[in-house]
Amino acid sequence: MPRTGIFPAKESNRRKGGRRSLDRAPGTPLAHRVGIGCVAMLLAAGLAACADGEAGAGTMRVSGSTTVAPVATDASEVLREQGYDITVATDGGSAGAISQLGANQIDIAMSSKPFSDEDQAAHPDTDFHPTQIGADAVGVIIRSEVADAGVTNLTREQVQGIFEGTITNWSEVGGPDLGVFVYDKEPGRGTREVLDKYLYGEGEAPPPPDTDNFAIVGGNLETRSKVKSTAGAVAPLSTGFIDGHDDLVAVHLDGVSPDIENVASGDYPMTRPLYLITDGPPEGPLKDFIDYVLSDEGQAILPTHGYLGIHELGG
Amino acid sequence: MTSQTPVRPLPAAPATGQRPRPARWIWAWTALGACTILGILLVLIGYLVSGLAGGSVDWKEILTSGTWSPTHAAFGGLAMIYGSGLVCLLALAMAVPVSWAAAIALNEYLPPHLARPLRTSVELLAAVPSIVYGLIGIMAIRPLVSTLGAVPGGDSLLAAAIVLAVMITPTVVAVSVDALKAVPDRYRESAYALGLTRQEVVRAAVLPRARPAMRTGVLLGLARALGEAIAVYLVIGRADGRLPTTPGEFVDSLFQPGQTLTTKLAGPESMLAGTSGPHFAALCALGVVLLAAVAAATVLGTRADHASARDERLPVPRTTFTALRIQRDRVATALRLAALLLPTALLIAMLALLAARGTAAFDPGFWLSESVGSSGGGVRNQISGTLLFVVGTATAALPLGFAAGILLGVYGSSRLIRTLNVLTVVIGGVPTILLGLAGFVVLSTAMGWGKSWLAGVIVLVPVVVPVVALATAARIRGMPPELTESAKALGLTQAQYLRSVVVPYAWPATITGLLLGLARAAGETAPLLFTATVFSGAPGLPGGIVESPVQALPTHVFNLSQDSGDPQAVTQAWSSALVLVVITALLLTAAVVLRNRLEGKRWTSS
């Protein structure tokens, strides 16, 4: 009895009599038909909710790092034409994908951060099996006017000072008299973990500084457009993303430039591996997918997105 | 209780008229609407409470400390509460005066042949997805704030407030116009007959009757501002722990990066925190704080409504100051028409920007072909996915929201229903990111649906239902009492009265509400990312329920604009956004045309 407690009792009595008196009204007015339609739609929705589809049974679910996603998307495009059923998503980034793989919600995790023992420890039931498919260099990116005015190389201590908020003017590192504006990546982003590893090694990064010249960014494109539009800006960003952008420069770190030779040889300090991770060694269609990415044809995809294939790594 | 009513129809009653039918289903229907509201809230609270129970929460720290650092187990939310509050207040302060003036100009000053297309334009503006506002915020509003405050970048609380103000203006205008339209013309006619100027007519005769429903519009706007994640996310800078301690710092903080509760929840921490433990519990606590803020604003707003509704005698306008009446009328006219220019100019600028950037959308092939690789091809499957969400959500939300709105409108004086009204506005203010996370935890994980289009529809239903219900209820509250009186005098039962008088009177507003709600739902990004969509590889239409993701336009735009380095991806993102705007605009235009015709025909409120 839905009306209990809401509507006065006397109305309920009146309703009873009145209903009978008007029973034989002809026609089906619009509102009534709308009502029947609504009920029918609700029933349909209810039935649909009960139905248990199995459409996803054969689908290969790939998810994770936005850095690896373009490569996986291009590869899946080719394999889909050969009859494979593959979906690619990017929610959660590298760290999110590893936990989703641990929860068996996806089949392949894309990761742009080094796979750590802590990841394995968090999901003891999962036999993580990372396959490296390439590498990427993270640069400390500044605007060309700062670089032209003298900032072409930074030491590790200087980078640390900039990102911890102790260096707030480019003149302190040999540049122009211009305020520094830091865009750091949000936590969980592979880019940020690479920077933290360079600055602090195995140690823990301090909390973000409480200064006025510090903001957080997410995706690579957002990072690039904000650095481009902010005087004195600096951010960690995959060097593949500044190709063709003359107003952005990746500074040398401890005298080493982030060019292909230095990345391949490992001399450049902020290099990161790109992984496809499976639960256990890849089998069946999962193996076909990873084998394709590792093939010559698959590896040719990586440079188109600004990354290095495993052959260029000399590995 | 077996007494016959004295109003039996005569045996020879002519069969030509459409006599109201018994319509007992009305009760089951309205009860279902009420249950929907309660059910949504129960699921949300269940998710938050189970999260809180999973790890101990130090409420004192959450509410009083400004330091947030999960790696150091510091969970202080004060800076985010400050950010949310300040950004929303600033946005309202900018949006509400302009919106109300524009709504008055639209309904009271312009001739109908100008007012209708403009009203349609305003509703189109409400259809622009929040991700587009975010992109425009990055392009146009950050540089503006950067110049204003002489600060680099421009990522700031003020930029977020301006983006939100632009975003909520159409919502407030559209609801206010509906409220003004519902004021019967006889009030205006009487006032003009007394020789009042137009400004005086509006102030003395129209506004007092429209004000409660106009406040509802402001509440909807506030709810949208509090709940918006993606657009704010892109321009606020997302820096934790910013709290001013002196008035000077307060002014400075407007021009500096900050963080709101929603941007924190929309950030990666929600995925990194897992589904248990202290970090997850602290994020759930932030969700609770956000819900409480929406609830507090709602209770305050509805209490003011109720106070004015109880006082049947409307306030007597001060008429002592009679000098310069004509001049004051002219000033008011100029100001209100100028206020109307602002949303119009915004719409034109926004469409021009979309058209200039999203050139690919002018190629029919873009609409009809599938996407290729990470940034090529068209958006056919994204279009079909978005349409699936819109149709599915409309199918579920229209009957449920309509039913709830009838309860809220007709029985608004009952204490129980007043509570339901408050709950409805609270749900309207629930950040969609919270709905997405609840859907992810409950549907995708606990029920094992994985990514499913139906999960996407289910998390979008709570976005639309409150808008439909509140628009319906506001229209019913403005219903001329003589309609009710006539119905009672004819001996209609309550069910017949609801079905034959209330439903036909209310439903044009219901359609407006549905359109506004769907426009918002169609552009939602945050709830779909975790529950229903993938970036590539899903078929155009799903083949089942469980593990059946689709692709959708808003998430496509978000992924392209956030994560791709390819210059082509930027064009692709703007083009997809333009396609999304065009699709919603087409839907809206068709429905608005229908609504305008019906609204003029029924009950002649215009």
Side-chain angles (χ1 to χ4, degrees):
Chain A
M1 289 299 277
R3 46 185 186 262
T4 309
I6 300 180
F7 310 108
K10 65 175 176 21
E11 282 180 8
S12 158
N13 294 339
R14 272 195 54 208
R15 191 161 47 243
K16 232 176 194 171
R19 170 168 53 82
R20 200 160 295 151
S21 69
L22 291 163
D23 250 350
R24 49 190 222 24
T28 313
L30 176 72
H32 195 212
R33 270 178 282 146
V34 168
I36 291 173
C38 294
V39 172
M41 282 184 223
L42 278 180
L43 277 178
L47 285 176
C50 298
D52 199 9
E54 286 295 326
T59 307
M60 190 191 316
R61 299 161 298 179
V62 184
S63 182
S65 164
T66 56
T67 309
V68 187
V71 179
T73 306
D74 287 350
S76 68
E77 203 79 38
V78 175
L79 288 182
R80 213 169 288 133
E81 277 165 21
Q82 300 173 12
Y84 290 92
D85 201 359
I86 307 169
T87 62
V88 180
T90 57
D91 33 77
S94 305
I98 288 170
S99 69
Q100 277 183 293
L101 185 63
N104 204 19
Q105 289 171 335
I106 56 173
D107 302 305
I108 297 180
M110 304 180 285
S111 172
S112 60
K113 72 185 190 86
F115 187 78
S116 70
D117 295 340
E118 288 153 32
D119 293 325
Q120 178 67 66
H123 303 279
D125 297 337
T126 308
D127 174 23
F128 288 109
H129 200 280
T131 308
Q132 186 173 357
I133 58 161
D136 173 36
V138 173
V140 173
I141 306 297
I142 59 173
R143 282 155 57 108
S144 55
E145 76 254 21
V146 177
D148 294 344
V151 183
T152 52
N153 180 55
L154 293 171
T155 65
R156 196 180 63 81
E157 286 73 26
Q158 285 171 332
V159 175
Q160 189 172 342
I162 288 170
F163 281 93
E164 287 182 3
T166 54
I167 295 175
T168 56
N169 194 300
W170 287 111
S171 60
E172 295 171 54
V173 291
D177 179 20
L178 179 67
V180 173
F181 198 92
V182 177
Y183 286 107
D184 200 359
K185 285 275 203 163
E186 56 196 8
R189 293 276 179 183
T191 312
R192 170 146 164 180
E193 295 204 9
V194 173
L195 178 70
D196 284 348
K197 196 163 185 223
Y198 167 59
L199 294 180
Y200 308 108
E202 297 304 314
E204 203 169 80
D210 183 17
T211 49
D212 301 342
N213 65 338
F214 179 84
I216 301 283
V217 284
N220 291 334
L221 194 59
E222 186 196 351
T223 311
R224 186 176 72 197
S225 63
K226 287 195 171 174
V227 173
K228 278 181 134 191
S229 60
T230 307
V234 57
L237 179 64
S238 172
T239 53
F241 278 76
I242 65 165
D243 284 346
H245 294 269
D246 295 337
D247 49 348
L248 297 179
V249 175
V251 295
H252 298 198
L253 295 177
D254 299 316
V256 183
S257 81
D259 57 26
I260 289 188
E261 292 78 38
N262 288 332
V263 173
S265 67
D267 289 342
Y268 182 72
M270 288 210 289
T271 310
R272 58 174 166 175
L274 305 178
Y275 288 119
L276 293 177
I277 307 177
T278 48
D279 183 4
E283 289 167 5
L286 304 186
K287 185 169 179 354
D288 296 342
F289 180 71
I290 291 176
D291 283 349
Y292 175 75
V293 177
L294 293 177
S295 71
D296 288 344
E297 200 183 326
Q299 285 289 302
I301 299 171
L302 284 144
T304 63
H305 296 289
Y307 310 136
L308 294 173
I310 42 176
H311 304 306
E312 289 151 296
L313 290 173
Chain B
M1 304 299 149
T2 55
S3 63
Q4 297 291 314
T5 57
V7 287
R8 277 191 88 89
L10 297 170
T16 50
Q18 294 197 335
R19 293 212 69 103
R21 313 219 333 169
R24 281 175 79 193
W25 50 267
I26 279 274
W27 301 121
W29 180 42
T30 48
L32 194 64
C35 291
T36 309
I37 302 286
L38 296 175
I40 292 168
L41 209 65
L42 280 179
V43 169
L44 257 181
I45 290 175
Y47 148 72
L48 288 173
V49 166
S50 69
L52 290 179
S56 59
V57 175
D58 183 352
W59 280 102
K60 196 174 160 231
E61 188 192 5
I62 292 269
L63 296 176
T64 58
S65 161
T67 310
W68 178 280
S69 176
T71 47
H72 299 83
F75 299 108
L78 188 59
M80 291 161 237
I81 296 169
Y82 167 76
S84 279
L86 187 68
V87 163
C88 289
L89 286 181
L90 280 176
L92 283 184
M94 285 183 269
V96 170
V98 173
S99 308
W100 278 2
I104 291 169
L106 198 57
N107 201 57
E108 307 294 326
Y109 286 73
L110 291 189
H113 68 273
L114 274 180
R116 280 198 177 156
L118 262 180
R119 190 180 167 199
T120 311
S121 313
V122 166
E123 279 161 4
L124 294 187
L125 204 53
V128 177
S130 57
I131 176 76
V132 176
Y133 284 103
L135 294 181
I136 290 169
I138 289 187
M139 275 190 55
I141 292 171
R142 283 174 69 248
L144 176 77
V145 173
S146 173
T147 320
L148 277 181
V151 290
D155 281 338
S156 59
L157 296 175
L158 183 63
I162 295 174
V163 168
L164 283 181
V166 174
M167 241 177 85
I168 63 176
T169 297
T171 310
V172 182
V173 173
V175 179
S176 301
V177 167
D178 271 344
L180 290 167
K181 260 188 125 55
V183 176
D185 268 348
R186 56 195 164 84
Y187 291 110
R188 294 183 187 89
E189 284 156 11
S190 314
Y192 279 121
L194 290 171
L196 301 185
T197 64
R198 176 132 55 177
Q199 183 243 346
E200 286 162 344
V201 170
V202 169
R203 190 172 58 121
V206 180
L207 278 186
R209 274 166 188 85
R211 206 168 274 139
M214 287 170 80
R215 284 206 197 103
T216 308
V218 173
L219 281 179
L220 283 174
L222 176 64
R224 187 162 186 203
L226 272 172
E228 177 52 40
I230 297 292
V232 179
Y233 187 83
L234 294 175
V235 297
I236 199 168
R238 311 204 288 284
D240 287 329
R242 297 291 171 73
L243 267 180
T245 48
T246 64
E249 277 180 36
F250 168 76
V251 174
D252 286 345
S253 80
L254 294 181
F255 296 97
Q256 286 165 13
Q259 181 87 285
T260 67
L261 292 164
T262 44
T263 56
K264 176 55 87 182
L265 289 169
E269 284 187 32
S270 294
M271 288 302 278
L272 298 180
T275 52
S276 64
H279 192 179
F280 183 65
L283 288 174
C284 286
L286 293 184
V288 170
V289 171
L290 196 53
L291 266 183
V294 178
T298 309
V299 171
L300 286 178
T302 46
R303 183 173 293 165
D305 269 12
H306 187 60
S308 66
R310 197 186 298 150
D311 186 11
E312 279 302 316
R313 285 177 306 130
L314 296 163
V316 181
R318 285 167 293 138
T319 49
T320 47
F321 184 68
T322 51
L324 301 172
R325 287 176 60 215
I326 305 298
Q327 285 80 354
R328 278 194 293 150
D329 183 49
R330 284 192 187 136
V331 170
T333 307
L335 281 178
R336 282 166 180 164
L337 290 177
L340 190 56
L341 283 179
L342 198 63
T344 318
L346 277 176
L347 179 71
I348 292 167
M350 210 171 279
L351 288 180
L353 191 61
L354 274 171
R357 293 237 150 188
T359 44
F362 296 109
D363 176 10
F366 185 74
W367 292 63
L368 299 174
S369 62
E370 287 190 36
S371 56
V372 177
S374 51
S375 56
V379 288
R380 192 187 73 196
N381 289 353
Q382 284 79 6
I383 292 174
S384 62
T386 294
L387 289 181
L388 179 70
F389 285 131
V390 167
V391 171
T393 310
T395 308
L398 177 63
L400 299 175
F402 199 176
I406 285 176
L407 270 189
L408 299 182
V410 175
Y411 300 100
S413 55
S414 143
R415 181 174 293 268
L416 202 65
I417 300 296
R418 277 214 311 275
T419 315
L420 194 67
N421 191 49
V422 172
L423 296 183
T424 309
V425 185
V426 168
I427 289 174
V430 170
T432 52
I433 177 67
L434 215 55
L435 294 172
L437 292 174
F440 174 71
V441 171
V442 176
L443 297 173
S444 302
T445 309
M447 287 174 68
W449 284 15
K451 286 205 170 183
S452 150
W453 64 273
L454 188 63
V457 167
I458 291 174
V459 296
L460 287 178
V461 164
V463 174
V464 182
V465 163
V467 189
V468 175
L470 293 173
T472 306
R475 166 108 174 153
I476 293 173
R477 288 198 198 105
M479 193 161 80
E482 56 266 33
L483 285 180
T484 309
E485 283 155 14
S486 313
K488 300 277 163 154
L490 289 170
L492 262 61
T493 65
Q494 191 68 8
Q496 288 166 334
Y497 160 67
L498 291 182
R499 207 225 63 180
S500 303
V501 180
V502 176
V503 167
Y505 182 83
W507 86 271
T510 310
I511 298 295
T512 314
L514 183 70
L515 298 178
L516 289 172
L518 284 180
R520 198 182 150 196
E524 278 297 342
T525 311
L528 298 181
L529 275 174
F530 304 125
T531 53
T533 61
V534 291
F535 181 60
S536 84
L541 286 172
I545 305 289
V546 175
E547 293 288 356
S548 297
V550 291
Q551 295 161 76
L553 285 167
T555 49
H556 194 63
V557 177
F558 181 74
N559 282 327
L560 284 172
S561 63
Q562 273 277 294
D563 300 317
S564 183
D566 189 348
Q568 201 197 336
V570 184
T571 316
Q572 202 79 358
W574 283 93
S575 305
S576 308
L578 183 54
V579 169
L580 179 55
V581 171
V582 168
I583 288 177
T584 16
L586 285 176
L587 283 173
L588 278 178
T589 314
V592 165
V593 167
L594 185 77
R595 195 264 326 264
N596 283 349
R597 285 175 59 182
L598 291 165
E599 200 171 68
K601 215 178 276 175
R602 287 255 182 191
W603 313 117
T604 60
S605 74
S606 58

